Amino acid sequence: MAKNLLIVESPAKARTIKKYLGPDFTVKASVGHIVDLPKKKLGVKLDESFQPEYQVIDGKKKVVSDLKKAAKKADEVYLAPDPDREGEAIAWHIAQQLGRPLEDYRRVLFHELTKDAILKAVASPEHLDEHRYDSQQARRVLDRLVGYQISPLLWKKVRGGLSAGRVQSVALRLIVERERAIQAFVPREYWTLTANLEGDQPPPFAARLAKFEGKKFEPDNETDTMAALNAVKDGEFLVGPVKKRKHQRRPAPPFITSTLQQEAHRKLGYTPKRTMGLAQRLYEGKETDQGAVGLITYMRTDSTRLAGPAVEEVRGLIAQRYGKDYLPAKANAYKSRKSAQEAHEAIRPTSALRTPEAMAAYLNKDELNLYRLIWNRFVACQMAPAVYDRTQAEITSGPGLFKANGQVMVFPGFTAVYVEGKDNGNNKNSQDQKGLLPPLKEGQTLKLVGLDPKQHFTQPPPRFSEASLVKELEEKGIGRPSTYAAILSTLADRGYVKKLKRNLAPTEMGLVVNDLLVESFPEIMEVGFTAGLEEALDQVEEGSRDWRKLLGEFYGPFSQALDKAQTGMRQIKGQGLATDVDCPTCGKKMVIRLGKNGEFLACSGYPECKTTSDFSRDEKGNIVPEAQPEDPGVECETCGRPMVVKKGRYGPFLACSGYPECKNVRPLDENGQPGERPKAEPLGEECPKCGGDLVIKPTRAGGRFISCSNYPKCRYSRGMPVGVKCPQCGEELVEKRSRRGKTFYGCDAYPKCDYASWHKPLPTPCSQCNYPFVLEKKTKAGTKIVCPECGADQG
């Protein structure tokens, strides 16, 4: 019987570790957190120094019971959740549930899951870190106080189902303020004048007018530009001083969490959430020819520190693969941010010798793409700089001074492996070749090929992409790298932001919620205040600040603002947002209503006037009502009234103008023509609730579900089975629809089993690992069939 019990939070991590510890260890997984604050109440005792009321999470009682049984049989219990605040909290909660004295537990920190690292960490365990746990508790309670007390206010004032968050709402403010800066932007006209020249030898080159009559040349109109052109066009173009120098470009540091999310978005198009999910799998271990092994170090880190042995290994690889010229005399070192936890390492391969080519057979496409990105960045960070020859020449003609710049790479250095991406979407290495200049010497006369005057306009600031927003959050100290993916996902899930050409823009709901929160909670919504709280939480972790006092200092002003907001916050629900748009029917002002299917314009004279209209906003944020749809000329077959075109959550449809007296509706086909109402098909089974016949009913969104034929007297219904058993519990997987109308596939035993997938399961075993089913993934590039277990493409 095993003498020791080691507990991690992930089953995949448990499988990797178990292979290296031998028979003396039993390895169990908690499958994430086992306790949390309750869902249906605040769960914080405000009058007892903010004591959290933790309870075992629904569905985790069996996990806790199994851990307790295993702990009773073990001499020693090792707690090995992730080496960060969240992992420390999981370790403490497991310890408290198992019931042993806290000092009896061994805390193990795995920064990478390789054999040597695992054995070394288990051989030198630490004690539970109370300060780190307190920091996580403080963050959890802060987030609960804000979320659970402001969100109900939004339900009352705006609409049900909304949420506010201590960090998420500040991130939303950044997006909203950027959008309004774009709308308020006034383009400024400016001109440039470029001379296209030739020397004694090729190539031809361009020089831009930098000074005119001794002053910087910055014309804002065509007249001034043409005056300068006329003054220089007949002059002799003479080469003035020519400056040549070497320029070195150094490699970027190895990845930390935030920079990995940014680069994966720029280069691979991955969202932060997707990036972190893939990184988690690479860290927890993949089956290779060497057995299960973690391929990267821990992926939640803000430190650029690298372990000495890893650096020595990669330097050897660089010398062997690329040559000694690519290896600097001593290892490159990088400075972390002041708040970085230097106990962690940067994100790197656990071995540089596991090249992407060698790992290709064990990883699916997405995993391999991310692994290659991490491997390339790590190798490049220890390589020699790229070297360029830069030339700048001054050229005169009459009262004009032109400047020409040229750059050519003379040694690629680290760029042979990796070049950092750009947020503007141009990831090509534009610095390598800025234009070649021919041999030039002072006093040389050049031939004028032509003068090119060009009009330009200044551009507004760009919308945030997910990558640039992560960068902004990090630079301003808002949140922590481990929270960025969740912040972005929540903003999208709540309908506060939308994507326009891969960039983030606030929705109408996002604008409303942001404005209400800024008006009622100005301090909480301040970027500086939120960043200050992050520093305070760091101080709690360092042991220099008491977490309960921190919560007290926050809650006093917050509770006062909350009391004022109960009566002072603007009421949107039932009233709408006022606009300057006139109702086309009665002339009264229209208001913006926030419906469950989106925002729309409605007459403020409702119910006397029931005019509504969809709308959009122009580039300045002004409301533009959509043109009213043409009369379809269709008569309601139920009551004889004319039918009108309405827009629902699944698109346009026909509805009787006599609503609500007549609720008849009809679909519209792809061409906008009236279609027939979908008919139900008999299933051949009895309703378990009333004994009636079950039928298969189509939905307006193109899906299907099973319902009782006695509806509405009997409201029994269930999802449509897809012919695949749930991999977690063995029940049927069925087709379902989310609140926002998107089809997904989940277990019929929900809520007892929470298995779900956005991709349709197909009852075909995997051709590689024989997993019982595969998934049909539909993307912009087309449809592909992949295995959910091994990731193998079935095409």
Side-chain angles (χ1 to χ4, degrees):
M1 183 180 294
K3 299 178 182 178
N4 305 303
L5 171 65
L6 186 139
I7 303 172
V8 295
E9 72 275 55
S10 158
K13 192 173 171 182
R15 287 193 294 270
T16 301
I17 294 168
K18 189 176 181 66
K19 294 191 175 183
Y20 298 117
L21 290 185
D24 287 343
F25 277 84
T26 297
V27 183
K28 295 272 187 183
S30 68
V31 196
H33 284 274
I34 58 170
V35 303
D36 197 4
L37 299 175
K39 287 186 176 180
K40 296 185 178 179
K41 64 176 184 177
L42 183 63
V44 178
K45 296 180 180 178
L46 301 176
D47 54 353
E48 295 183 24
S49 300
F50 305 97
Q51 182 62 36
E53 299 180 71
Y54 293 117
Q55 62 182 34
V56 176
I57 297 169
D58 289 343
K60 288 296 182 74
K61 289 182 179 178
K62 186 176 185 306
V63 173
V64 173
S65 175
D66 289 346
L67 293 178
K68 285 181 177 179
K69 289 177 184 177
K72 285 180 181 178
K73 300 175 184 177
D75 296 336
E76 298 283 354
V77 177
Y78 293 76
L79 302 176
D82 288 344
D84 57 12
R85 291 175 185 167
E86 212 67 27
E88 197 66 34
I90 294 173
W92 273 77
H93 293 155
I94 293 171
Q96 291 165 348
Q97 288 294 315
L98 298 186
R100 294 189 178 196
L102 293 176
E103 59 271 16
D104 286 358
Y105 294 99
R106 305 287 182 262
R107 178 72 170 108
V108 179
L109 304 176
F110 294 126
H111 296 285
E112 59 182 82
L113 297 182
T114 58
K115 181 178 180 179
D116 290 345
I118 290 169
L119 296 177
K120 184 178 178 180
V122 171
S124 53
E126 303 175 6
H127 294 292
L128 289 166
D129 189 330
E130 185 173 8
H131 296 314
R132 182 177 290 171
Y133 173 50
D134 286 345
S135 179
Q136 191 278 343
Q137 280 200 109
R139 180 187 295 278
R140 186 74 183 92
V141 172
L142 277 170
D143 291 343
R144 176 56 67 101
L145 292 175
V146 172
Y148 267 52
Q149 294 188 88
I150 296 183
S151 296
L153 190 59
L154 293 176
W155 305 342
K156 174 183 171 184
K157 300 286 187 177
V158 186
R159 198 190 78 191
L162 301 180
S163 74
R166 182 180 62 85
V167 179
Q168 132 200 345
S169 299
V170 179
L172 175 61
R173 182 177 186 176
L174 293 176
I175 296 170
V176 169
E177 288 183 345
R178 176 62 61 88
E179 189 71 16
R180 287 182 171 147
I182 294 169
Q183 292 170 355
F185 182 80
V186 179
R188 181 180 61 81
E189 180 183 7
Y190 70 98
W191 287 72
T192 58
L193 181 60
T194 303
N196 296 308
L197 303 165
E198 289 181 353
D200 297 332
Q201 299 179 33
F205 64 100
R208 180 169 289 184
L209 185 59
K211 287 185 178 182
F212 183 69
E213 296 179 341
K215 295 179 182 178
K216 191 173 182 180
F217 185 66
E218 294 179 313
D220 58 7
N221 58 77
E222 184 177 12
T223 302
D224 291 348
T225 306
M226 296 310 294
L229 184 150
N230 291 326
V232 301
K233 68 178 182 179
D234 296 325
E236 190 176 21
F237 283 77
L238 295 174
V239 178
V242 178
K243 297 177 182 177
K244 293 183 179 181
R245 62 186 179 91
K246 294 282 187 189
H247 169 71
Q248 288 191 344
R249 182 182 174 195
R250 301 187 179 281
F255 281 131
I256 59 176
T257 304
S258 59
T259 54
L260 175 63
Q261 291 174 4
Q262 292 167 48
E263 278 292 86
H265 185 269
R266 294 173 187 137
K267 288 181 174 286
L268 304 174
Y270 295 170
T271 64
K273 182 177 180 180
R274 184 179 179 189
T275 296
M276 295 309 290
L278 292 169
Q280 183 89 30
R281 278 146 55 181
L282 295 175
Y283 162 71
E284 289 180 344
K286 304 295 292 186
E287 285 290 341
T288 70
D289 56 350
Q290 301 167 356
V293 63
L295 297 182
I296 64 171
T297 53
Y298 189 56
M299 64 283 158
R300 294 185 183 91
T301 175
D302 53 6
S303 170
T304 55
R305 185 182 69 83
L306 294 170
V311 172
E312 288 304 310
E313 182 182 66
V314 76
R315 282 174 60 83
L317 179 139
I318 292 167
Q320 181 180 14
R321 179 176 274 209
Y322 301 101
K324 292 185 178 179
D325 289 344
Y326 288 82
L327 189 68
K330 63 179 183 178
N332 295 331
Y334 298 91
K335 190 175 181 180
S336 301
R337 290 178 177 269
K338 185 176 69 172
S339 59
Q341 299 180 44
E342 289 297 329
H344 294 176
E345 273 194 77
I347 303 169
R348 61 166 176 83
T350 51
S351 172
L353 302 181
R354 294 191 190 97
T355 64
E357 296 78 17
M359 293 298 103
Y362 312 109
L363 304 177
N364 65 37
K365 181 180 177 182
D366 289 347
E367 291 169 342
L368 181 60
N369 285 342
L370 191 68
Y371 183 71
R372 181 181 288 109
L373 192 73
I374 294 168
W375 190 91
N376 286 348
R377 175 87 163 219
F378 172 58
V379 172
C381 86
Q382 290 303 313
M383 294 177 74
V387 181
Y388 303 85
D389 276 340
R390 281 186 174 175
T391 304
Q392 184 183 74
E394 293 185 358
I395 299 159
T396 60
S397 177
L401 173 66
F402 291 80
K403 287 188 178 180
N405 296 289
Q407 173 173 287
V408 61
M409 177 186 285
V410 294
F411 178 67
F414 74 93
T415 65
V417 175
Y418 182 88
V419 178
E420 192 172 25
K422 303 292 181 185
D423 283 324
N424 61 10
N426 179 15
N427 290 325
K428 294 181 180 179
N429 191 11
S430 58
Q431 291 196 34
D432 291 350
Q433 304 288 134
K434 280 190 175 178
L436 296 174
L437 296 181
L440 298 174
K441 58 183 179 180
E442 194 167 348
Q444 180 182 351
T445 301
L446 303 173
K447 177 185 176 183
L448 175 65
V449 177
L451 288 166
D452 184 16
K454 273 193 178 177
Q455 182 187 39
H456 308 271
F457 290 93
T458 54
Q459 297 297 309
R463 288 191 176 103
F464 286 114
S465 66
E466 289 186 313
S468 60
L469 182 60
V470 165
K471 185 177 181 180
E472 187 83 359
L473 292 172
E474 183 184 34
E475 288 178 350
K476 292 186 179 298
I478 301 169
R480 281 293 175 260
S482 58
T483 66
Y484 295 154
I487 290 169
L488 292 170
S489 294
T490 301
L491 290 177
D493 293 343
R494 297 297 181 212
Y496 293 160
V497 299
K498 59 187 175 183
K499 281 191 179 179
L500 297 176
K501 297 180 180 178
R502 290 185 65 184
N503 291 328
L504 302 173
T507 62
E508 206 66 37
M509 182 65 75
L511 293 169
V512 170
V513 169
N514 174 76
D515 291 349
L516 293 178
L517 294 179
V518 171
E519 290 166 10
S520 298
F521 301 94
E523 186 175 39
I524 290 176
M525 293 291 288
E526 269 296 323
V527 170
F529 178 79
T530 305
L533 269 180
E534 294 296 341
E535 291 180 6
L537 291 169
D538 289 342
Q539 291 168 0
V540 171
E541 183 169 357
E542 294 163 3
S544 60
R545 191 159 186 172
D546 182 81
W547 72 281
R548 295 182 190 272
K549 287 182 179 178
L550 169 62
L551 292 173
E553 292 165 6
F554 167 82
Y555 194 70
F558 171 68
S559 61
Q560 293 175 12
L562 193 65
D563 291 340
K564 289 180 182 178
Q566 296 292 343
T567 55
M569 183 180 281
R570 284 184 291 144
Q571 182 72 35
I572 307 298
K573 195 173 187 177
Q575 296 179 14
L577 283 167
T579 74
D580 293 327
V581 179
D582 293 327
C583 174
T585 304
C586 70
K588 291 183 179 179
K589 295 297 182 186
M590 305 282 279
V591 295
I592 297 174
R593 298 277 187 184
L594 304 171
K596 64 180 181 180
N597 297 326
E599 301 79 27
F600 62 96
L601 288 175
C603 182
S604 59
Y606 179 87
E608 289 76 18
C609 179
K610 298 179 180 178
T611 301
T612 62
S613 170
D614 289 321
F615 71 96
S616 58
R617 290 186 183 268
D618 63 19
E619 60 184 13
K620 293 297 181 184
N622 299 314
I623 293 172
V624 181
E626 284 190 10
Q628 292 296 314
E630 295 181 6
D631 184 352
V634 179
E635 190 177 274
C636 175
E637 65 266 34
T638 303
C639 71
R641 294 185 182 97
M643 300 196 83
V644 294
V645 177
K646 295 284 187 180
K647 191 173 182 181
R649 67 192 298 185
Y650 306 125
F653 65 97
L654 288 177
C656 181
S657 59
Y659 180 87
E661 290 82 13
C662 178
K663 298 181 180 179
N664 184 36
V665 295
R666 287 179 64 182
L668 289 172
D669 63 21
E670 295 177 353
N671 300 316
Q673 299 300 311
E676 295 299 321
R677 183 194 293 272
K679 295 181 180 179
E681 302 173 18
L683 181 66
E685 295 181 15
E686 285 189 358
C687 173
K689 194 172 182 181
C690 72
D693 293 331
L694 291 180
V695 293
I696 301 171
K697 289 186 176 180
T699 68
R700 288 202 301 271
R704 298 187 302 166
F705 69 101
I706 296 171
S707 175
C708 181
S709 60
N710 290 330
Y711 178 87
K713 289 182 180 179
C714 176
R715 294 179 176 269
Y716 174 82
S717 67
R718 70 172 190 262
M720 188 71 188
V722 295
V724 173
K725 297 293 184 182
C726 174
Q728 290 183 186
C729 72
E731 293 293 327
E732 287 284 344
L733 292 183
V734 297
E735 181 180 320
K736 297 187 176 185
R737 195 158 304 280
S738 71
R739 291 179 182 177
R740 302 179 72 182
K742 188 174 180 182
T743 299
F744 72 100
Y745 304 87
C747 183
D748 201 30
Y750 180 84
K752 290 183 179 179
C753 177
D754 61 358
Y755 176 84
S757 170
W758 289 116
H759 309 295
K760 185 177 181 178
L762 301 177
T764 304
C766 172
S767 59
Q768 300 293 320
C769 69
N770 211 33
Y771 196 68
F773 67 90
V774 292
L775 297 177
E776 180 184 67
K777 288 189 175 183
K778 293 185 177 180
T779 66
K780 292 180 180 178
T783 300
K784 62 179 181 178
I785 311 299
V786 298
C787 175
E789 179 69 13
C790 70
D793 193 329
Q794 306 297 299

PDB file of all heavy atoms in Angstrom, residues 85-99:
ATOM      1  N   ARG A  85      -1.277  31.885  -6.678  1.00  0.00           N
ATOM      2  CA  ARG A  85      -2.267  32.183  -5.628  1.00  0.00           C
ATOM      3  C   ARG A  85      -3.465  31.249  -5.693  1.00  0.00           C
ATOM      4  O   ARG A  85      -3.963  30.775  -4.675  1.00  0.00           O
ATOM      5  CB  ARG A  85      -2.735  33.636  -5.758  1.00  0.00           C
ATOM      6  CG  ARG A  85      -1.677  34.663  -5.415  1.00  0.00           C
ATOM      7  CD  ARG A  85      -2.201  36.061  -5.704  1.00  0.00           C
ATOM      8  NE  ARG A  85      -1.165  37.076  -5.492  1.00  0.00           N
ATOM      9  CZ  ARG A  85      -1.261  38.332  -5.893  1.00  0.00           C
ATOM     10  NH1 ARG A  85      -2.349  38.735  -6.529  1.00  0.00           N
ATOM     11  NH2 ARG A  85      -0.288  39.189  -5.663  1.00  0.00           N
ATOM     12  N   GLU A  86      -3.943  30.996  -6.899  1.00  0.00           N
ATOM     13  CA  GLU A  86      -5.119  30.139  -7.049  1.00  0.00           C
ATOM     14  C   GLU A  86      -4.795  28.722  -6.608  1.00  0.00           C
ATOM     15  O   GLU A  86      -5.593  28.073  -5.932  1.00  0.00           O
ATOM     16  CB  GLU A  86      -5.576  30.155  -8.510  1.00  0.00           C
ATOM     17  CG  GLU A  86      -7.062  29.995  -8.712  1.00  0.00           C
ATOM     18  CD  GLU A  86      -7.872  31.154  -8.191  1.00  0.00           C
ATOM     19  OE1 GLU A  86      -7.356  32.281  -8.137  1.00  0.00           O
ATOM     20  OE2 GLU A  86      -9.037  30.935  -7.809  1.00  0.00           O
ATOM     21  N   GLY A  87      -3.614  28.243  -6.991  1.00  0.00           N
ATOM     22  CA  GLY A  87      -3.198  26.914  -6.568  1.00  0.00           C
ATOM     23  C   GLY A  87      -3.009  26.822  -5.060  1.00  0.00           C
ATOM     24  O   GLY A  87      -3.318  25.802  -4.436  1.00  0.00           O
ATOM     25  N   GLU A  88      -2.493  27.906  -4.470  1.00  0.00           N
ATOM     26  CA  GLU A  88      -2.313  27.918  -3.012  1.00  0.00           C
ATOM     27  C   GLU A  88      -3.659  27.833  -2.303  1.00  0.00           C
ATOM     28  O   GLU A  88      -3.799  27.140  -1.289  1.00  0.00           O
ATOM     29  CB  GLU A  88      -1.584  29.197  -2.590  1.00  0.00           C
ATOM     30  CG  GLU A  88      -0.990  29.142  -1.190  1.00  0.00           C
ATOM     31  CD  GLU A  88       0.137  28.123  -1.067  1.00  0.00           C
ATOM     32  OE1 GLU A  88       0.890  27.933  -2.041  1.00  0.00           O
ATOM     33  OE2 GLU A  88       0.247  27.502   0.013  1.00  0.00           O
ATOM     34  N   ALA A  89      -4.659  28.524  -2.843  1.00  0.00           N
ATOM     35  CA  ALA A  89      -5.994  28.470  -2.244  1.00  0.00           C
ATOM     36  C   ALA A  89      -6.568  27.055  -2.336  1.00  0.00           C
ATOM     37  O   ALA A  89      -7.161  26.552  -1.370  1.00  0.00           O
ATOM     38  CB  ALA A  89      -6.922  29.460  -2.942  1.00  0.00           C
ATOM     39  N   ILE A  90      -6.378  26.394  -3.480  1.00  0.00           N
ATOM     40  CA  ILE A  90      -6.857  25.016  -3.618  1.00  0.00           C
ATOM     41  C   ILE A  90      -6.173  24.122  -2.586  1.00  0.00           C
ATOM     42  O   ILE A  90      -6.817  23.281  -1.942  1.00  0.00           O
ATOM     43  CB  ILE A  90      -6.600  24.500  -5.054  1.00  0.00           C
ATOM     44  CG1 ILE A  90      -7.453  25.280  -6.059  1.00  0.00           C
ATOM     45  CG2 ILE A  90      -6.903  23.006  -5.156  1.00  0.00           C
ATOM     46  CD1 ILE A  90      -7.146  24.957  -7.515  1.00  0.00           C
ATOM     47  N   ALA A  91      -4.865  24.302  -2.412  1.00  0.00           N
ATOM     48  CA  ALA A  91      -4.115  23.502  -1.440  1.00  0.00           C
ATOM     49  C   ALA A  91      -4.653  23.720  -0.020  1.00  0.00           C
ATOM     50  O   ALA A  91      -4.865  22.764   0.735  1.00  0.00           O
ATOM     51  CB  ALA A  91      -2.633  23.858  -1.507  1.00  0.00           C
ATOM     52  N   TRP A  92      -4.887  24.970   0.359  1.00  0.00           N
ATOM     53  CA  TRP A  92      -5.417  25.267   1.696  1.00  0.00           C
ATOM     54  C   TRP A  92      -6.808  24.668   1.884  1.00  0.00           C
ATOM     55  O   TRP A  92      -7.112  24.101   2.944  1.00  0.00           O
ATOM     56  CB  TRP A  92      -5.460  26.782   1.918  1.00  0.00           C
ATOM     57  CG  TRP A  92      -4.168  27.321   2.448  1.00  0.00           C
ATOM     58  CD1 TRP A  92      -3.028  27.540   1.752  1.00  0.00           C
ATOM     59  CD2 TRP A  92      -3.880  27.686   3.812  1.00  0.00           C
ATOM     60  NE1 TRP A  92      -2.042  28.038   2.576  1.00  0.00           N
ATOM     61  CE2 TRP A  92      -2.535  28.145   3.848  1.00  0.00           C
ATOM     62  CE3 TRP A  92      -4.620  27.691   4.987  1.00  0.00           C
ATOM     63  CZ2 TRP A  92      -1.930  28.580   5.015  1.00  0.00           C
ATOM     64  CZ3 TRP A  92      -4.017  28.135   6.164  1.00  0.00           C
ATOM     65  CH2 TRP A  92      -2.682  28.566   6.178  1.00  0.00           C
ATOM     66  N   HIS A  93      -7.651  24.786   0.891  1.00  0.00           N
ATOM     67  CA  HIS A  93      -9.016  24.264   1.029  1.00  0.00           C
ATOM     68  C   HIS A  93      -9.018  22.745   1.123  1.00  0.00           C
ATOM     69  O   HIS A  93      -9.808  22.169   1.885  1.00  0.00           O
ATOM     70  CB  HIS A  93      -9.868  24.726  -0.153  1.00  0.00           C
ATOM     71  CG  HIS A  93     -10.100  26.202  -0.162  1.00  0.00           C
ATOM     72  ND1 HIS A  93     -10.368  26.917  -1.308  1.00  0.00           N
ATOM     73  CD2 HIS A  93     -10.111  27.106   0.848  1.00  0.00           C
ATOM     74  CE1 HIS A  93     -10.520  28.197  -1.001  1.00  0.00           C
ATOM     75  NE2 HIS A  93     -10.367  28.333   0.297  1.00  0.00           N
ATOM     76  N   ILE A  94      -8.129  22.081   0.383  1.00  0.00           N
ATOM     77  CA  ILE A  94      -8.011  20.628   0.517  1.00  0.00           C
ATOM     78  C   ILE A  94      -7.553  20.282   1.927  1.00  0.00           C
ATOM     79  O   ILE A  94      -8.096  19.380   2.582  1.00  0.00           O
ATOM     80  CB  ILE A  94      -7.023  20.062  -0.524  1.00  0.00           C
ATOM     81  CG1 ILE A  94      -7.601  20.217  -1.943  1.00  0.00           C
ATOM     82  CG2 ILE A  94      -6.717  18.602  -0.239  1.00  0.00           C
ATOM     83  CD1 ILE A  94      -6.606  19.878  -3.049  1.00  0.00           C
ATOM     84  N   ALA A  95      -6.534  21.006   2.412  1.00  0.00           N
ATOM     85  CA  ALA A  95      -6.011  20.753   3.761  1.00  0.00           C
ATOM     86  C   ALA A  95      -7.105  20.909   4.813  1.00  0.00           C
ATOM     87  O   ALA A  95      -7.237  20.088   5.742  1.00  0.00           O
ATOM     88  CB  ALA A  95      -4.849  21.698   4.047  1.00  0.00           C
ATOM     89  N   GLN A  96      -7.899  21.950   4.707  1.00  0.00           N
ATOM     90  CA  GLN A  96      -8.967  22.196   5.676  1.00  0.00           C
ATOM     91  C   GLN A  96     -10.043  21.116   5.623  1.00  0.00           C
ATOM     92  O   GLN A  96     -10.599  20.730   6.641  1.00  0.00           O
ATOM     93  CB  GLN A  96      -9.574  23.572   5.432  1.00  0.00           C
ATOM     94  CG  GLN A  96      -8.624  24.718   5.786  1.00  0.00           C
ATOM     95  CD  GLN A  96      -9.050  26.059   5.215  1.00  0.00           C
ATOM     96  OE1 GLN A  96      -9.935  26.132   4.369  1.00  0.00           O
ATOM     97  NE2 GLN A  96      -8.394  27.132   5.636  1.00  0.00           N
ATOM     98  N   GLN A  97     -10.325  20.608   4.421  1.00  0.00           N
ATOM     99  CA  GLN A  97     -11.336  19.559   4.302  1.00  0.00           C
ATOM    100  C   GLN A  97     -10.824  18.221   4.840  1.00  0.00           C
ATOM    101  O   GLN A  97     -11.588  17.453   5.423  1.00  0.00           O
ATOM    102  CB  GLN A  97     -11.752  19.397   2.834  1.00  0.00           C
ATOM    103  CG  GLN A  97     -12.596  20.540   2.293  1.00  0.00           C
ATOM    104  CD  GLN A  97     -13.953  20.627   2.949  1.00  0.00           C
ATOM    105  OE1 GLN A  97     -14.638  19.624   3.134  1.00  0.00           O
ATOM    106  NE2 GLN A  97     -14.353  21.834   3.327  1.00  0.00           N
ATOM    107  N   LEU A  98      -9.541  17.939   4.644  1.00  0.00           N
ATOM    108  CA  LEU A  98      -8.993  16.658   5.111  1.00  0.00           C
ATOM    109  C   LEU A  98      -8.846  16.612   6.622  1.00  0.00           C
ATOM    110  O   LEU A  98      -8.838  15.533   7.215  1.00  0.00           O
ATOM    111  CB  LEU A  98      -7.646  16.385   4.435  1.00  0.00           C
ATOM    112  CG  LEU A  98      -7.677  16.242   2.905  1.00  0.00           C
ATOM    113  CD1 LEU A  98      -6.310  15.824   2.376  1.00  0.00           C
ATOM    114  CD2 LEU A  98      -8.739  15.259   2.458  1.00  0.00           C
ATOM    115  N   GLY A  99      -8.689  17.767   7.252  1.00  0.00           N
ATOM    116  CA  GLY A  99      -8.772  17.829   8.707  1.00  0.00           C
ATOM    117  C   GLY A  99      -7.492  17.619   9.486  1.00  0.00           C
ATOM    118  O   GLY A  99      -7.514  17.660  10.721  1.00  0.00           O
TER     119      GLY A  99
END
